[in-house]
Amino acid sequence: MNDRYDAGYGDQGEQYELVGYDEYGRPVYRQATRQQAPQQPYDPYAQQQGYGYDPYATGSQQVPQQAPHQVPQQYDPYGTGRQPPVDPYDPYGTGAPQGGAPGTGYDPYGRAAASGQQPRVAEQTAHIPQQAGPGERTRDAPPPERDYRTEQFAFVEDPDGDSEDVIDWLNFTENRTERREEAKRRARSRLVALVVVLAMVAVGGAGYLWYAGKLPGLSSSGSRKGGTATAAGAQNRDVIVVHLHNTKGGGTSTALLVDNTTTKQGTTVLLPNSLSLTDDDGTTTTLAKSVEADGSSGTRDALDTVLGTDIEGTWRLDTPYLQNLVDLVGNIEVDTDADVPDPDAKKKGAEPLVHKGKGQTLSGRTAVAYATYRAPGEAQNAQLERFGQVMAGVLRKLSSDPAAATTTVQTLAQILDPSLTDKDLGTFLAKLADLAKGGDYKTALLPVRSDGTLSAQASASVVKDVLGGAAKSPEQGSAVRVSVQNASGAKGNTEKARVVLLNGGFTFLGGGTASTTSARSEVVYTDAKDKANATEVAKTLGLPSGSVRKGTTTSNADVSVILGRDYKPSSS
């Protein structure tokens, strides 16, 4: 398609051929004939004379000023080398209607009116459009219809990447907010469930403790189990027995170390050597003799029977080990109640090894001397209480850390009872040490009658409250307790007499072997009510009735027997 365009400037005209359209859909022409210079086109920016019109303000090059009726060189924005005709009355090529006066051109911004220069309508002449030839159009004819193509336009309906990104971002934001809200709802639900579970556990645990009578402060009121009150025995206690053996002076001292895990109270219970015990075979003996003869499981079982306890292990602590233990913990402080002489002093009147007074610092050697000291004429309980003071001082200095306490025990290099390992003993002592440092530790002496049985006071204050047990000492009159001392010179007579007495229904108490022999046997009683029992014992042993007499018996026996050389065991 080849259209021609007549610029239509008077008789002289210049023709252009339509060669196509640019990227904006505007027609592109090329010059067909040489054009005579038309009148000066209107410059909307007249103050910038000497410059061609630049409709896009792209900074076109300056051209020299031309003659009044000469058409200036126009800017070619597409670099084609071809310049389309410029309508002097339509500088934008939009086909606007003519209205400007010759020489002034069309003012699209109305600045002519603002400056007072009005077009002279009277000087305009009517113009009759002429019929254009084929492929031509006159100046007033509408521009040719443009050939628009679909690929030249971008439709707003078409989605692009940016819109997808926006949608994705909105979806992400919305989803993240929903996830946060959902997470919060789940967290609240879990928290509520956890609180409910903990409340149920607490209520159930409290109910069980109330039912079992284990709530602190309610032991006296008792549980509701069977409608009977639960005593302090419902509390949990860990107990071990410790035997101090004096390797130089002889003798033993026994104490129970008690850890009440319910009330958080530690106690050292001192057991007198005169405490009456009963062996598995029914033989009645004293604590001191039981420790010397057995000292481990037999004594532990006998104590459990008498006190109603459950002793977990036996700790044999010889005096050399006690000395090393005090040195390992770094000395102890004790309020001493007596001046203790130096057992190694070569002359009398020497300076005491331990002075009486409060807050005395004791090393390993002085602690052993104080724990085993018993002044002339003193009861064994006085020495036992000194031993308890030393044990409490050791616990206050011992480490509360189970590992460190175990290391201290291992450093002693003792051979412990198989039922009590180094780790068990160290952990147990560490717990007691923690209680002793906090002031939750005490020492109690078990009251024992002269005959070795437990008194009512002992049953109430120590056995029941501290140990949580029940006294099971033989009642007076339940069985006649007979103490036998062998002075016949024959070692086997003691065992033969034991068998005969047990078969006769008596309780046998070992009295040991006398240092000297006796020609005659004796059967001694203290109370008149025991005279008949003494006569029966003599008859059972095959002794004459003249051997029975009133005298002093041992502390825990109803009848005391001294076997002399006249004792002839039965052949049976």
Side-chain angles (χ1 to χ4, degrees):
M1 177 177 177
N2 188 10
D3 289 344
R4 294 179 179 273
Y5 174 78
D6 183 5
Y9 293 96
D11 296 334
Q12 296 179 353
E14 194 168 356
Q15 295 182 350
Y16 292 84
E17 294 179 346
L18 177 66
V19 296
Y21 297 88
D22 60 10
E23 58 183 353
Y24 298 98
R26 292 179 295 190
V28 178
Y29 302 90
R30 69 180 177 183
Q31 186 175 2
T33 59
R34 185 173 183 178
Q35 178 184 5
Q36 295 182 358
Q39 294 182 355
Q40 177 71 22
Y42 171 70
D43 181 8
Y45 308 99
Q47 59 270 33
Q48 299 179 358
Q49 297 182 0
Y51 292 84
Y53 173 66
D54 184 5
Y56 301 100
T58 58
S60 60
Q61 298 179 354
Q62 181 178 357
V63 296
Q65 186 176 2
Q66 299 181 1
H69 299 287
Q70 186 176 359
V71 178
Q73 183 70 24
Q74 300 297 317
Y75 173 70
D76 181 12
Y78 310 109
T80 59
R82 303 180 181 88
Q83 294 139 6
V86 179
D87 193 338
Y89 303 104
D90 187 6
Y92 296 95
T94 59
Q98 301 175 4
T104 60
Y106 173 69
D107 183 6
Y109 303 102
R111 286 182 295 177
S115 60
Q117 298 178 358
Q118 302 295 333
R120 290 179 298 177
V121 180
E123 296 180 1
Q124 296 180 357
T125 58
H127 176 74
I128 301 176
Q130 301 295 325
Q131 183 71 28
E136 299 180 353
R137 73 178 183 88
T138 61
R139 182 176 61 182
D140 294 335
E145 183 178 359
R146 298 176 181 178
D147 186 13
Y148 296 106
R149 293 183 296 279
T150 304
E151 60 270 15
Q152 296 177 344
F153 301 93
F155 296 91
V156 296
E157 301 91 295
D158 294 341
D160 53 12
D162 293 340
S163 62
E164 291 294 337
D165 292 342
V166 172
I167 295 174
D168 293 342
W169 170 254
L170 292 177
N171 291 335
F172 169 74
T173 304
E174 182 179 2
N175 293 338
R176 184 173 63 177
T177 302
E178 292 178 353
R179 287 194 300 270
R180 287 179 178 176
E181 294 297 330
E182 182 63 23
K184 291 180 180 179
R185 286 193 294 269
R186 288 197 301 267
R188 286 193 295 267
S189 300
R190 292 173 181 173
L191 181 59
V192 172
L194 178 61
V195 171
V196 171
V197 171
L198 292 177
M200 294 178 63
V201 171
V203 172
Y208 169 77
L209 293 176
W210 173 82
Y211 179 76
K214 296 183 179 181
L215 283 177
L218 297 181
S219 59
S220 60
S221 61
S223 69
R224 301 300 179 266
K225 187 175 182 179
T228 59
T230 301
Q235 301 171 2
N236 183 47
R237 298 168 178 83
D238 296 328
V239 184
I240 69 169
V241 58
V242 54
H243 301 298
L244 176 66
H245 288 256
N246 189 348
T247 57
K248 287 187 177 181
T252 60
S253 303
T254 303
L256 297 179
L257 302 180
V258 183
D259 176 19
N260 191 323
T261 59
T262 303
T263 62
K264 306 299 181 182
Q265 177 68 46
T267 308
T268 297
V269 179
L270 304 174
L271 305 181
N273 283 336
S274 60
L275 176 65
S276 179
L277 302 177
T278 303
D279 295 337
D280 293 336
D281 58 0
T283 303
T284 302
T285 184
T286 62
L287 174 61
K289 294 178 180 179
S290 177
V291 173
E292 291 175 355
D294 181 80
S296 57
S297 60
T299 304
R300 183 170 65 246
D301 294 340
L303 289 173
D304 285 339
T305 301
V306 171
L307 303 176
T309 57
D310 184 13
I311 301 174
E312 301 172 9
T314 300
W315 181 19
R316 172 167 177 161
L317 185 62
D318 294 349
T319 50
Y321 293 115
L322 175 60
Q323 179 175 338
N324 294 337
L325 179 59
V326 174
D327 290 335
L328 285 174
V329 299
N331 298 338
I332 62 175
E333 291 186 359
V334 175
D335 295 337
T336 59
D337 61 357
D339 290 333
V340 179
D342 188 352
D344 297 332
K346 296 181 180 180
K347 61 179 180 178
K348 295 182 179 181
E351 184 72 14
L353 182 63
V354 177
H355 291 277
K356 179 180 179 180
K358 292 186 177 181
Q360 296 294 316
T361 300
L362 303 180
S363 63
R365 180 170 176 264
T366 56
V368 169
Y370 183 76
T372 58
Y373 177 68
R374 180 178 178 182
E378 277 189 334
Q380 191 262 339
N381 291 346
Q383 175 269 322
L384 190 61
E385 290 179 350
R386 295 186 184 107
F387 170 55
Q389 287 180 286
V390 172
M391 289 303 301
V394 170
L395 292 175
R396 285 194 296 267
K397 293 297 293 291
L398 188 67
S399 175
S400 300
D401 179 55
T406 301
T407 302
T408 302
V409 172
Q410 292 173 345
T411 306
L412 295 176
Q414 288 182 276
I415 299 177
L416 299 175
D417 184 82
S419 62
L420 189 65
T421 64
D422 293 339
K423 183 178 180 181
D424 293 339
L425 179 58
T427 303
F428 179 79
L429 294 178
K431 294 178 181 178
L432 292 181
D434 186 58
L435 296 174
K437 293 175 183 177
D440 299 320
Y441 199 88
K442 62 183 180 180
T443 301
L445 177 65
L446 179 67
V448 176
R449 296 191 184 102
S450 59
D451 59 359
T453 60
L454 299 176
S455 63
Q457 178 185 1
S459 299
S461 62
V462 178
V463 177
K464 181 179 179 182
D465 296 340
V466 177
L467 299 177
K472 298 179 182 179
S473 293
E475 296 293 338
Q476 291 288 344
S478 60
V480 178
R481 292 167 296 173
V482 180
S483 173
V484 177
Q485 184 180 27
N486 188 5
S488 64
K491 294 182 179 179
N493 286 343
T494 302
E495 179 63 20
K496 293 178 181 180
R498 185 185 73 85
V499 173
V500 172
L501 290 174
L502 291 177
N503 290 336
F506 298 97
T507 299
F508 176 82
L509 301 178
T513 301
S515 57
T516 59
T517 61
S518 175
R520 295 181 58 186
S521 298
E522 295 182 357
V523 179
V524 182
Y525 65 92
T526 301
D527 295 335
K529 64 180 180 180
D530 291 325
K531 181 178 180 180
N533 293 330
T535 303
E536 187 65 26
V537 168
K539 186 184 296 187
T540 303
L541 292 174
L543 298 175
S545 58
S547 62
V548 178
R549 67 177 181 87
K550 185 176 181 180
T552 302
T553 61
T554 59
S555 60
N556 57 342
D558 300 320
V559 177
S560 294
V561 176
I562 300 175
L563 297 178
R565 290 193 302 267
D566 60 345
Y567 172 64
K568 303 297 180 181
S570 61
S571 59
S572 60

